[in-house]
């Protein structure tokens, strides 16, 4: 049996832009992606703390160090610049893998700088 579990998340990121005229996705700063062990093209769920919206999209690579968190295309309608969001990635695990299961949680500040990286929830 396999179980879908939290793989990683970037917690309380600040939306830096919402670009309606772009082919969909979320742009995430490369350093934040690496810290969260997320990958280009990976499906993620976006949880908007400001308005309660929950939706899925995929990741595109943002420039390292710019701290961009930009929702693109149709997803841009679900956020506003300055909104706080949680970016969540899930993975499917075998029961045996759960014995050593440790999701990665990246906590960021108002400017999307990494404050802390946790390997537990």
């Amino acid at each position: 049996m396999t179980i879908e579990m939290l793989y990683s998340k970037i917690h309380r990121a600040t939306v830096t832009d919402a670009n309606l005229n772009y082919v969909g996705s979320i742009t995430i700063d490369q350093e934040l992606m690496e810290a969260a062990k997320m990958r280009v093209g990976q499906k993620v769920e976006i949880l908007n703390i400001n308005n309660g919206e929950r939706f899925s999209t995929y990741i595109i690579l943002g420039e390292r160090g710019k701290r961009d968190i930009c929702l693109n295309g149709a997803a841009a309608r679900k956020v506003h610049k300055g909104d706080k969001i949680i970016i969540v990635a899930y993975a499917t695990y075998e029961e045996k893998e759960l014995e050593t299961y440790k999701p990665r949680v990246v906590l960021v500040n108002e400017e999307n700088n990494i404050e802390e990286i946790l390997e537990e929830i």
Side-chain angles (χ1 to χ4, degrees):
M1 176 171 67
T2 59
I3 301 172
E4 190 171 16
M5 303 285 290
L6 172 68
Y7 171 73
S8 68
K9 72 176 180 174
I10 301 172
H11 191 72
R12 295 187 61 84
T14 303
V15 174
T16 59
D17 199 8
N19 184 352
L20 185 61
N21 297 311
Y22 188 88
V23 178
S25 61
I26 182 170
T27 303
I28 302 176
D29 176 290
Q30 185 175 3
E31 188 175 336
L32 295 174
M33 282 180 52
E34 289 170 355
K37 296 186 177 182
M38 293 179 180
R39 293 170 172 77
V40 171
Q42 183 174 8
K43 180 182 177 180
V44 289
E45 187 171 0
I46 309 302
L47 316 175
N48 188 325
I49 295 169
N50 291 73
N51 65 19
E53 288 280 359
R54 298 173 73 99
F55 57 93
S56 298
T57 191
Y58 63 92
I59 299 171
I60 61 172
L61 184 63
E63 188 177 328
R64 179 183 294 278
K66 285 190 70 180
R67 299 299 184 254
D68 286 339
I69 299 289
C70 178
L71 278 299
N72 304 299
R77 294 206 181 271
K78 298 192 173 278
V79 300
H80 291 96
K81 188 174 178 179
D83 281 359
K84 293 291 185 192
I85 62 172
I86 303 169
I87 305 163
V88 182
Y90 299 96
T92 303
Y93 296 87
E94 296 288 337
E95 285 190 74
K96 185 77 173 160
E97 292 174 294
L98 295 177
E99 293 173 11
T100 58
Y101 166 74
K102 290 184 179 181
R104 168 112 3 153
V105 177
V106 178
L107 305 176
V108 296
N109 64 16
E110 296 288 322
E111 292 80 36
N112 293 329
N113 292 307
I114 298 169
E115 291 283 305
E116 189 173 1
I117 298 174
L118 308 173
E119 289 196 342
E120 59 184 277
I121 51 176

